[in-house]
Amino acid sequence: MANSIQISQAVGAIKSAILRSQEYALRITNQSQLALYYAIGKYVSNNSRKGYWGKGALEAISQQLSLEMPGLRGFSERNLKNMRTFAESWEFSMHTEFVDYKDITNSADASAELPSLSPVHIQNTDDTNVAINPFELLKSLTVSKWQTLSAEFCEDFFSLSFSHHIAILSKVKSMEERLFYIHQTSVNRWSLRELERQISLNVFQHQGTMANNFLQTLPHSQQAFRAIQMFKDSYLLDYINTEELGIRDVEDIDERIIEQGIVQNIKKFILSFGRDFAFMGNQYRVEAMGHEHFIDLLFYNRELNCLVAIELKKGEFKTSYLGQLNGYLDLLDDYVKKPHENPSIGIVLCKDVDKTYAEYMVRSYQKPMGVATYQVSSDMPDKLRKSLPELEELKKLL
């Protein structure tokens, strides 16, 4: 009779296979749906834009589909227009030389991630046939960051739902910005609401622009560039509602209130910073030579393979903050960092900063540091505040 260890191992193996199969099925389903919507969108575009169909055709088509296919969802007049937008936005979007999709699928990396799908055939009103391969919608793109259609980008693109794509296409105009949000949505697994929130906060303009000295202080340029792209120059801590705490005067908001708000909403804070962050603790104690030191917030980043110390300041940036943070980074590297880890990184998070001045001052330090700003909910314009999700989870912090 099998023992408990064998049973447990068998269950683990079967469970793993089931989960992989489910994930694979979802990925293929989404790829097939995007290919179908692209084909329909191209068909609708060919016939509606060229005048083959009269006014009100899409509404009539949607209503007839509902009658002939009861229970069918996703084919309203509005969604048919979205499919047309999807097809028109990606077809010949860069007006440049085609990249044959076969070049993508024939590579070992890409074929492992993107299995072949059958073309979708649709008959145009003018009797021409439309046969859309799932990769047809990508073949006219050139991607500035990768130069060619990499397997990584294809995986990002096909991992997004149609609703995510439409949100990006409707709210973002430049190609570079669209590619940025496609990649960030994929790697961070943003929900549709979170994606819309990130776009409303104009995250693209803030990414990689923080005042820092990473290129001068980190030992490898590749790690330095990763660190530059990892951090933004401004963070919105909209879950810290000082008005609900009864605090009306900005001067009454101290670092500890902000810190407690972050700790009690640590998942949201990590989401705002990005992926691969692990929370090590707040008021993290480091003892050295008989003296105690307390770091406001300490994280570990798996991608950078280093500790990340964050010092919170309630007011405008001061150069003394860099000296304090530099000392903390010395302590972390000497007393906390593991031998295989990279040098620790420090971030000063303050309410306001002259970025040019901060960039000038930080370059004189030998430890990798950056300076960013933050906003709490009461700092936000009313229009932006109303566009963000309800703070149903937020209670009084103190």
Side-chain angles (χ1 to χ4, degrees), residues 318-335:
K318 297 178 182 178
T319 56
S320 59
Y321 299 157
L322 296 176
Q324 179 187 23
L325 185 57
N326 190 76
Y328 287 162
L329 294 177
D330 275 331
L331 291 168
L332 288 173
D333 286 344
D334 292 342
Y335 292 92

Side-chain angles (χ1 to χ4, degrees), residues 235-243 250 253 257-258 261-262 351 373-381 385 388:
Y235 293 91
L236 176 61
L237 311 182
D238 56 294
Y239 40 82
I240 301 176
N241 194 330
T242 55
E243 292 177 355
V250 174
I253 304 173
I257 290 175
I258 302 299
I262 290 172
K351 284 291 293 177
T373 60
Y374 67 86
Q375 288 181 304
V376 294
S377 62
S378 55
D379 300 324
M380 299 160 56
R385 198 188 316 187
L388 296 174

Side-chain angles (χ1 to χ4, degrees), residues 307-327:
L307 296 166
V308 178
I310 296 177
E311 278 299 296
L312 295 165
K313 302 299 178 184
K314 70 174 183 178
E316 190 175 358
F317 168 75
K318 297 178 182 178
T319 56
S320 59
Y321 299 157
L322 296 176
Q324 179 187 23
L325 185 57
N326 190 76

Side-chain angles (χ1 to χ4, degrees), residues 380-394:
M380 299 160 56
D382 288 339
K383 183 177 180 181
L384 179 57
R385 198 188 316 187
K386 290 176 181 177
S387 72
L388 296 174
E390 292 293 325
L391 301 177
E392 68 280 349
E393 297 176 0
L394 189 64

Side-chain angles (χ1 to χ4, degrees), residues 24-42 72-75 79 82-84 86-87 115 117-120 122 132-135 137 157-166:
Y24 177 82
L26 287 172
R27 187 165 70 243
I28 297 304
T29 299
N30 193 61
Q31 291 172 5
S32 299
Q33 185 183 63
L34 290 179
L36 174 65
Y37 286 176
Y38 179 82
I40 293 173
K42 192 168 183 179
L72 181 68
R73 297 172 62 88
F75 290 87
N79 232 27
N82 285 339
M83 294 175 201
R84 181 173 63 187
F86 183 60
L117 297 174
S118 300
V120 179
I122 293 185
I132 304 298
N133 187 282
F135 301 101
L137 72 167
F157 188 96
F158 282 111
S159 70
L160 269 60
S161 72
F162 183 66
S163 297
H164 282 83
H165 278 290
I166 292 303

Side-chain angles (χ1 to χ4, degrees), residues 30-31 33-35 37-38 82-83 85-87 89-90 137-138 141 153-173 178-179 181-183 185-186 190-192 195-196 199:
N30 193 61
Q31 291 172 5
Q33 185 183 63
L34 290 179
Y37 286 176
Y38 179 82
N82 285 339
M83 294 175 201
T85 298
F86 183 60
S89 296
W90 289 110
L137 72 167
L138 291 176
L141 275 178
F153 174 70
C154 291
E155 184 177 0
D156 288 346
F157 188 96
F158 282 111
S159 70
L160 269 60
S161 72
F162 183 66
S163 297
H164 282 83
H165 278 290
I166 292 303
I168 292 172
L169 293 175
S170 63
K171 298 176 184 295
V172 176
K173 300 308 176 186
R178 286 176 177 178
L179 297 175
Y181 284 113
I182 287 173
H183 180 65
T185 301
S186 176
W190 286 341
S191 65
L192 179 59
L195 167 62
E196 291 173 337
I199 293 174

Side-chain angles (χ1 to χ4, degrees), residues 81 95 101 137 141 169 197 218 234 252 280 304 327 352:
K81 290 180 179 179
H95 300 287
Y101 74 87
L137 72 167
L141 275 178
L169 293 175
R197 175 180 179 274
L218 289 172
S234 182
D252 291 336
M280 302 286 290
L304 298 175
D352 192 29

